[in-house]
Amino acid sequence: MKIFLKKIIVFLALFLLIATIIQIALSVKIKGKIISGHDNLEQIANADVVFLGSSRCWVQFDPHFFDKTFKVTSANIGVDGHSEIAMAIVRLKDYLERNKPPKFAILSFDPLMSAGSEKNNTNYVHKDNFARYAFYPNSKDLLFVNYFNFTTAEKYIPLYSIFKYNLLYNAIFTKKNDSYITYGYEKHDEQWDTISNPITGEMKNCFFTARDIPSVTNSLNELNDLCIKNNIKLLCIQTPVYKVIQDDIVFSYPASIAKSLAIPFIDVNVPSIRNNITYFYNSDHLNTSGIAQIDTLFKRSNLLNTFLKQ
Amino acid sequence: MLFTSLNFAIFLPVVFILYWFGTNKNLSLQNILLLLASYFFYASWDYRFLFLLIFSTLLDYFTSIQMFTAENQQKKKFWFWLSISINLGFLGFFKYYNFFTTSFADSLSLLGIQANFWTLKVILPVGISFYTFHGLSYVIDIYKGRIKPERNFIDYALFVSFFPLLVAGPIERATHLLPQIQKKRDFNYSAAVDGVRQILWGLFKKIVIADNCAKFANTIFNNSNSYSGSTLVLGALFFTFQIYCDFSGYSDIAIGTARLFGIDLLRNFAFPYFSRDIAEFWRRWHISLSTWFRDYLYIPLGGSKGGTWMKIRNTFIIFLVSGFWHGANWTFIVWGFLNALYIMPSIILNTNRNNLYTVALGRLIPSVKDFFSILLTFLLTVFAWIFFRSENLHMAISYIAKIFTPTLFKLPYFPGIGLSVSTFIFTFLFILIEWIGRERQYAIQFIGMSWPRSIRWSFYITLGLIIFYFAVSTPSQQFIYFQF
């Protein structure tokens, strides 16, 4: 009996050891690399400007354009699928753990954003992309690991999170990501395919309402406080949506919230862009043609030019 | 509590430690521990049905003693039929009530009579078909005078409820299991190691092969109208491996687990897909059920003693009943009927005992004749599984009709689910290992026993890592036979 138990224990220990070795080998292999396109936490940018927000930030703020036009270095740290300001705060904190504080932070801020909660997050979109950071997280990784509520098993059993979130293949065969993704910006050249993705006003359901203004204001204030604490100047920009989901009243809320907190605000949600379907690949995301249009507006914006020259 | 769950991975070592370290000096305590563990295991599914299990156990326990001590044949018969009818009554109520009422209403509507019978929304108590058959075999054996009733209630209850076999068999016999329960059990190192190895292989079959094949089989069967004939053939093949690996994997885990407690359970599978004819297939597939039907139905009906017609009649009866045992659906009955048809030639020609030994015994490569016999038997089985897997007869017939269209010659494709190369690779490796190990109780029983320990352990660790990978990355599927 004792021999049996001893052998079982030795076998399990050996199993655990090998799993740990594989886990460590994979972690070393992918360290500093992007394996899914969204897991760019470890990218060191030390930029002057960071862009914060959801996918509307991730696909609409092109760092190349800003670098060239405003003679700055910039990085897009928007998080696809996460329109909570709480996530923007977590992402900025994470960025600050690994980089010098930027001079400026630009938040993509519009009625599609929400307050969210850093401690009680319920949005797990793209959680799988961040599972690579779950095993024995260091203090830097803990921000995201806690935000996505990775379980004890995912944190402490070797290979568990890599296997569970199907990252093994990507970890072994690390692919070279598009340079746009590496810079934290996902380029979309495509036109809106209205057959597979029909034109609807469905996204209106995601707008925050007048009732949510206090919580959104609080969250934005929290982000602003974080920026002030780190000597970062915060600016909010509202980008265009396709006319089908335009609502003048709702789209006036972000400006008034920013104003109440004395945060500069730029609105590029202008009719000349939002009424032209060729600038969009869906109702709330611009394609590269649309981005060229807002970039022209950015170039001409006195506020932005002044802001970035402070 | 699934055998593949984390809960079971905690439950099993705890019971094992308590069994060998806490209660090992006292057989009664060991049996009480196993019984309590079994009831806990069962209650973790649905505690309400635990009362049904205990009632069924008490019923058979008391009626068997009454039967044994009955003063005359009439009283003996009374207790016998009381037990049989209550046991079958429960099974019929929970499993077949809705089937009979809807089928009766359907047949009346054919005559123009509209009948509206109540149907019940009851959950089928997990394992009811299995523990009812345990009880039935015990009662029948006592009635026939083959065994004496067990007076120790704990021992009897453990015979019915022993957790490794409680929810999906193997269907045990009192003559085989009860003596093991009554006898002091000493820890046997080789048996325990063998048990762990069998559990490992069972987990591989279930988690790596069955659950992976299930993804494809489910998608293809659930959307059969959208796929080509060739894809539907693949769907049937995926299900063929799913059901085998699911059920035999469960049996391997059950048998391996029991061995850890010093108990040998009946073998349930013996590499059935390497059978050369259907008779051999049925000697190798779900052996504990096939032999149950042979001993408690086929032989009492006269078996093969009354000439060819009697054999044909009895064969059809047991296959139809076997189909019906699987579930209250015409698809299972047709599946049983098909198997009866398949086996008919060998019954009529008296060749059903031609292939009693493992194919290509002592050789690696089978003869051409054996190869084609295996292939033909396998294809017949795959065809029958289509009925088994389909929701209803209409779906099964449409599925088959869709196979035999010109799209059968198109390349199979899987829109929406992608083609998993790993599923094919692992299934191929699995078939290979099963073939190499086909002369043993389970495929990896002796594989690598002569290898140096480092290589052998590397093999087990690799197997463990593969199981671990699929266990956490693939959604776990319920064991198919739990529904029966």
Side-chain angles (χ1 to χ4, degrees):
Chain A
M1 167 60 99
K2 278 181 187 160
I3 298 171
F4 175 76
L5 281 180
K6 214 164 86 183
K7 281 195 175 174
I8 288 283
I9 291 166
V10 169
F11 181 82
L12 289 176
L14 207 59
F15 183 85
L16 208 64
L17 180 73
I18 289 169
T20 309
I21 291 169
I22 297 172
Q23 168 77 55
I24 292 168
L26 288 174
S27 301
V28 168
K29 186 173 184 297
I30 62 178
K31 191 162 177 57
K33 290 179 189 156
I34 293 173
I35 63 166
S36 67
H38 294 272
D39 54 331
N40 59 349
L41 304 186
E42 287 180 339
Q43 291 292 300
I44 304 298
N46 288 321
D48 301 322
V49 185
V50 291
F51 304 102
L52 298 167
S54 63
S55 58
R56 282 173 42 77
C57 168
W58 178 245
V59 302
Q60 297 183 151
F61 287 85
D62 179 3
H64 299 83
F65 163 77
F66 278 79
D67 291 3
K68 217 168 107 185
T69 313
F70 300 103
K71 308 290 179 233
V72 289
T73 53
S74 58
N76 188 325
I77 55 170
V79 185
D80 188 20
H82 290 269
S83 53
E84 308 83 21
I85 297 173
M87 171 53 109
I89 294 170
V90 168
R91 184 65 181 97
L92 182 59
K93 282 181 183 171
D94 177 89
Y95 178 87
L96 291 172
E97 288 278 345
R98 303 167 203 266
N99 294 268
K100 282 193 293 189
K103 289 180 196 157
F104 311 102
I106 295 176
L107 175 71
S108 171
F109 185 48
D110 50 53
L112 285 157
M113 296 296 279
S114 60
S117 163
E118 198 175 331
K119 283 183 183 149
N120 300 306
N121 170 48
T122 51
N123 178 4
Y124 297 120
V125 173
H126 292 317
K127 181 179 180 177
D128 51 338
N129 289 299
F130 301 100
R132 57 176 287 192
Y133 302 110
F135 182 66
Y136 266 96
N138 57 34
S139 59
K140 294 172 190 171
D141 296 337
L142 257 181
L143 282 160
F144 261 72
V145 170
N146 289 342
Y147 187 77
F148 280 116
N149 291 317
F150 281 100
T151 61
T152 309
E154 288 161 359
K155 280 195 254 185
Y156 300 111
I157 299 177
L159 295 177
Y160 192 95
S161 54
I162 297 261
F163 283 178
K164 184 174 173 185
Y165 296 99
N166 287 306
L167 292 175
L168 184 65
Y169 183 86
N170 285 344
I172 295 173
F173 305 103
T174 322
K175 56 178 182 246
K176 253 202 154 163
N177 277 297
D178 189 290
S179 70
Y180 284 97
I181 287 175
T182 315
Y183 278 90
Y185 160 65
E186 196 174 289
K187 192 177 173 187
H188 283 264
D189 292 319
E190 71 270 27
Q191 290 291 314
W192 190 345
D193 177 359
T194 52
I195 294 168
S196 60
N197 184 13
I199 300 169
T200 67
E202 217 173 89
M203 285 307 288
K204 279 185 169 179
N205 301 330
C206 303
F207 291 162
F208 67 75
T209 62
R211 224 178 29 194
D212 303 316
I213 290 176
S215 62
V216 173
T217 308
N218 279 342
S219 285
L220 186 60
N221 193 31
E222 205 184 316
L223 175 64
N224 196 27
D225 286 347
L226 177 67
C227 289
I228 292 166
K229 202 175 139 194
N230 289 282
N231 211 14
I232 305 166
K233 291 178 179 65
L234 180 65
L235 167 76
C236 292
I237 296 181
Q238 179 162 265
T239 55
V241 291
Y242 186 55
K243 62 183 179 187
V244 73
I245 60 167
Q246 171 63 21
D247 179 327
D248 290 344
I249 295 172
V250 175
F251 276 81
S252 70
Y253 295 156
S256 49
I257 292 172
K259 196 179 169 189
S260 71
L261 297 170
I263 299 169
F265 182 86
I266 296 173
D267 190 355
V268 289
N269 180 19
V270 292
S272 60
I273 301 177
R274 71 166 174 257
N275 291 341
N276 190 338
I277 197 168
T278 61
Y279 294 151
F280 293 86
Y281 71 86
N282 61 33
S283 65
D284 56 326
H285 292 97
L286 294 166
N287 57 24
T288 42
S289 307
I291 289 162
Q293 295 300 312
I294 57 165
D295 284 350
T296 312
L297 295 177
F298 288 152
K299 212 171 175 177
R300 285 188 207 146
S301 164
N302 288 333
L303 177 54
L304 187 59
N305 275 284
T306 321
F307 181 79
L308 292 177
K309 278 174 189 159
Q310 286 179 81
Chain B
M1 198 190 301
L2 282 174
F3 277 173
T4 50
S5 68
L6 189 63
N7 291 345
F8 187 74
I10 297 166
F11 169 83
L12 180 59
V14 169
V15 179
F16 179 83
I17 300 283
L18 289 174
Y19 182 80
W20 289 116
F21 289 101
T23 60
N24 60 321
K25 289 192 177 126
N26 187 323
L27 179 64
S28 304
L29 273 181
Q30 271 189 327
N31 287 347
I32 289 170
L33 173 76
L34 281 185
L35 183 64
L36 290 175
S38 300
Y39 282 163
F40 175 79
F41 177 83
Y42 192 74
S44 71
W45 295 100
D46 192 328
Y47 69 92
R48 291 167 299 176
F49 292 129
L50 181 61
F51 299 107
L52 188 67
L53 172 67
I54 294 172
F55 176 79
S56 172
T57 308
L58 282 167
L59 172 82
D60 293 337
Y61 175 73
F62 282 112
T63 51
S64 59
I65 291 173
Q66 292 302 325
M67 219 166 23
F68 190 70
T69 53
E71 295 144 10
N72 54 48
Q73 192 61 20
Q74 213 177 355
K75 279 189 178 167
K76 193 176 172 182
K77 260 190 182 170
F78 167 78
W79 290 111
F80 173 72
W81 284 111
L82 181 74
S83 171
I84 297 285
S85 43
I86 294 177
N87 271 309
L88 290 180
F90 276 133
L91 191 61
F93 174 75
F94 283 105
K95 200 164 172 176
Y96 302 109
Y97 174 82
N98 286 344
F99 172 78
F100 280 121
T101 49
T102 48
S103 295
F104 189 54
D106 287 349
S107 28
L108 283 180
S109 72
L110 287 176
L111 302 171
I113 305 163
Q114 289 305 318
N116 190 13
F117 294 103
W118 280 10
T119 52
L120 297 168
K121 283 183 179 151
V122 286
I123 315 164
L124 183 68
V126 68
I128 190 170
S129 308
F130 291 92
Y131 69 70
T132 302
F133 269 45
H134 279 149
L136 286 178
S137 72
Y138 175 75
V139 170
I140 296 169
D141 281 349
I142 288 171
Y143 181 73
K144 294 277 180 190
R146 291 175 196 139
I147 53 169
K148 287 181 182 169
E150 174 57 58
R151 301 279 178 167
N152 182 328
F153 178 72
I154 300 292
D155 288 3
Y156 175 71
L158 183 57
F159 156 70
V160 178
S161 320
F162 184 39
F163 73 87
L165 53 79
L166 180 55
V167 290
I171 299 168
E172 273 294 338
R173 309 293 180 81
T175 45
H176 181 250
L177 186 56
L178 260 175
Q180 295 187 70
I181 290 171
Q182 293 156 336
K183 193 177 73 182
K184 183 170 168 17
R185 298 176 288 273
D186 293 317
F187 182 79
N188 181 322
Y189 174 80
S190 310
V193 170
D194 200 38
V196 172
R197 213 179 292 127
Q198 192 160 6
I199 291 173
L200 192 68
W201 188 239
L203 288 171
F204 179 83
K205 282 189 197 173
K206 166 64 182 158
I207 292 169
V208 181
I209 308 295
D211 287 356
N212 263 301
C213 287
K215 280 191 296 189
F216 294 96
N218 291 344
T219 310
I220 295 168
F221 270 89
N222 294 342
N223 307 283
S224 54
N225 283 335
S226 326
Y227 293 115
S228 63
S230 54
T231 312
L232 296 188
V233 170
L234 267 183
L237 282 170
F238 278 127
F239 181 69
T240 300
F241 285 105
Q242 181 200 345
I243 192 162
Y244 170 60
C245 292
D246 188 286
F247 193 21
S248 72
Y250 176 91
S251 297
D252 282 337
I253 302 169
I255 294 166
T257 303
R259 296 198 84 182
L260 289 176
F261 296 97
I263 291 173
D264 276 318
L265 297 183
L266 289 170
R267 193 181 186 190
N268 223 11
F269 289 87
F271 310 99
Y273 290 155
F274 301 139
S275 303
R276 286 150 292 180
D277 57 46
I278 291 293
E280 187 186 5
F281 176 84
W282 279 104
R283 279 193 297 275
R284 294 174 176 276
W285 179 274
H286 202 175
I287 301 166
S288 65
L289 181 71
S290 310
T291 50
W292 197 100
F293 279 122
R294 181 197 64 200
D295 296 345
Y296 297 104
L297 192 61
Y298 184 73
I299 292 173
L301 283 170
S304 51
K305 283 183 182 157
T308 306
W309 285 113
M310 189 69 124
K311 268 203 289 188
I312 292 171
R313 186 201 72 171
N314 294 343
T315 305
F316 268 103
I317 289 173
I318 61 158
F319 274 103
L320 290 174
V321 173
S322 168
F324 199 50
W325 176 89
H326 283 86
N329 194 328
W330 286 103
T331 52
F332 295 121
I333 296 170
V334 171
W335 170 78
F337 180 79
L338 260 181
N339 276 287
L341 275 186
Y342 289 166
I343 210 168
M344 270 311 122
S346 58
I347 295 283
I348 294 165
L349 300 170
N350 219 9
T351 57
N352 56 325
R353 297 186 67 79
N354 270 8
N355 296 311
L356 292 177
Y357 303 103
T358 305
V359 63
L361 203 60
R363 286 179 291 131
L364 189 63
I365 310 288
S367 66
V368 175
K369 186 184 165 224
D370 282 346
F371 175 78
F372 282 103
S373 304
I374 291 171
L375 190 65
L376 178 66
T377 310
F378 180 74
L379 291 176
L380 287 171
T381 313
V382 173
F383 184 77
W385 286 133
I386 294 173
F387 285 92
F388 195 93
R389 173 61 182 78
S390 298
E391 303 289 325
N392 51 54
L393 279 184
H394 175 73
M395 181 186 162
I397 291 162
S398 308
Y399 194 99
I400 293 162
K402 186 85 193 281
I403 287 179
F404 295 105
T405 58
T407 59
L408 178 63
F409 304 101
K410 276 187 171 178
L411 270 179
Y413 76 119
F414 309 88
I417 50 176
L419 184 62
S420 172
V421 176
S422 63
T423 307
F424 281 96
I425 292 173
F426 284 121
T427 307
F428 175 76
L429 284 176
F430 161 75
I431 297 167
L432 197 68
I433 293 172
E434 286 265 301
W435 175 260
I436 294 167
R438 71 193 181 283
E439 289 172 32
R440 309 298 178 185
Q441 292 282 312
Y442 59 93
I444 62 161
Q445 189 171 28
F446 286 101
I447 279 189
M449 289 308 274
S450 57
W451 298 346
R453 184 186 289 169
S454 55
I455 297 176
R456 203 168 64 234
W457 278 40
S458 303
F459 173 71
Y460 298 141
I461 286 172
T462 310
L463 211 58
L465 281 170
I466 295 168
I467 292 167
F468 179 43
Y469 174 76
F470 284 102
V472 294
S473 67
T474 310
S476 175
Q477 309 271 339
Q478 179 86 290
F479 283 97
I480 294 175
Y481 265 69
F482 282 9
Q483 63 184 299
F484 306 139

